[in-house]
């Protein structure tokens, strides 16, 4: 379990919570595409940090660590949902109703396009362009190399350009994040 945290650490954690909860919730929303799940993931991440607060605050980057926890929880939630859909599909009758040439430009907005990206690309694009993190901070949050962040961000933006049909994707992702996390405002 966790360790006992003294009063000063408790006050410090409370301040950390107040400063970062909305941002962590918005990150979870953009990663999972589910507003109702975002607050739960942010709360779960902060609870995990609380249990290890003595070690987390001693580390150099508690916010980066918190973002990494949110990203990992979101990945786990997505994988669990995929497994559940697969189990349901085994018992649900299959319908072959596929459209060969969907009108992507008519149905895709930024959040829908983000949901289509593989998790790592989505996380890199969201952290870099919606949260304005540096490549180094994004790498730290996701536990990957700076080179991986560069490559996954570049590929993710290219795929978003293809999905959204145009340029200015980084600006659109940033604008969507400013409006789009219904679970909280931008908090720096």
């Amino acid at each position: 379990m966790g360790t006992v945290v003294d009063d000063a650490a408790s006050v410090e954690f409370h301040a950390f919570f107040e400063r970062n909860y909305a941002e962590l919730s918005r990150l979870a929303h953009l990663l999972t595409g589910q507003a109702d799940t975002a607050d739960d993931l942010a709360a779960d991440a902060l609870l995990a940090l609380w249990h290890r607060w003595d070690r987390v605050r001693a580390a150099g980057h508690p916010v980066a660590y918190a973002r990494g926890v949110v990203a990992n929880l979101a990945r786990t939630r997505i994988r669990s949902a995929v497994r559940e859909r697969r189990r349901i599909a085994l018992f649900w009758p299959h319908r072959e109703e596929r459209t060969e040439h969907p009108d992507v430009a008519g149905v895709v907005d930024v959040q829908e396009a983000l949901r289509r990206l593989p998790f790592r690309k989505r996380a890199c694009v969201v952290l870099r362009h919606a949260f304005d993190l540096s490549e180094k901070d994004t790498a730290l949050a996701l536990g990957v190399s700076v080179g991986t962040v560069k490559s996954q961000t570049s590929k993710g933006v290219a795929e978003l350009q293809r999905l959204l049909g145009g340029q200015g994707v980084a600006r659109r992702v940033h604008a969507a994040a400013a409006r789009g996390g219904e679970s909280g405002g931008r908090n720096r």
Side-chain angles (χ1 to χ4, degrees):
M1 190 81 186
T3 59
V4 177
V5 180
D6 63 28
D7 288 338
S10 179
V11 169
E12 183 183 355
F13 179 80
H14 181 74
F16 178 85
F17 180 97
E18 292 296 324
R19 278 190 318 271
N20 296 289
Y21 178 78
E23 176 185 325
L24 295 172
S25 181
R26 194 170 63 250
L27 172 62
H29 180 217
L30 290 168
L31 292 177
T32 64
Q34 300 172 341
D36 56 335
T37 301
D39 287 333
D40 292 341
L41 289 176
D44 289 347
L46 287 162
L47 180 61
L49 263 65
W50 170 247
H51 287 296
R52 295 171 193 82
W53 186 244
D54 57 332
R55 286 180 279 166
V56 172
R57 74 182 184 159
H61 306 284
V63 174
Y65 185 84
R67 289 179 185 130
V69 172
V70 168
N72 286 332
L73 289 172
R75 181 182 309 124
T76 300
R77 181 71 59 109
I78 291 166
R79 286 179 178 165
S80 177
V82 167
R83 282 192 302 271
E84 183 66 21
R85 282 188 213 116
R86 286 180 184 153
R87 283 192 292 270
I88 290 170
L90 290 173
F91 300 104
W92 204 265
H94 293 283
R95 294 186 211 168
E96 293 297 326
E97 298 178 20
R98 294 181 184 244
T99 305
E100 289 187 27
H101 303 290
D103 180 12
V104 177
V107 295
V108 177
D109 61 4
V110 172
Q111 289 182 351
E112 183 62 31
L114 283 170
R115 278 186 221 119
R116 292 183 180 189
L117 293 179
F119 181 81
R120 186 173 287 172
K121 286 180 189 174
R122 181 181 340 143
C124 287
V125 169
V126 166
L127 289 171
R128 290 282 292 128
H129 296 293
F131 286 86
D132 297 323
L133 292 185
S134 68
E135 291 165 344
K136 182 180 176 185
D137 289 341
T138 301
L140 187 62
L142 297 176
V144 299
S145 71
V146 172
T148 298
V149 170
K150 289 178 180 182
S151 136
Q152 293 297 292
T153 302
S154 174
K155 290 176 184 176
V157 168
E159 194 166 335
L160 285 174
Q161 286 174 338
R162 184 184 61 77
L163 289 170
L164 295 170
Q167 300 295 319
V169 168
R171 181 185 48 77
R172 290 167 75 180
V173 169
H174 185 79
R179 291 188 306 268
E182 261 84 52
S183 35
R186 193 169 187 118
N187 192 5
R188 289 208 171 227

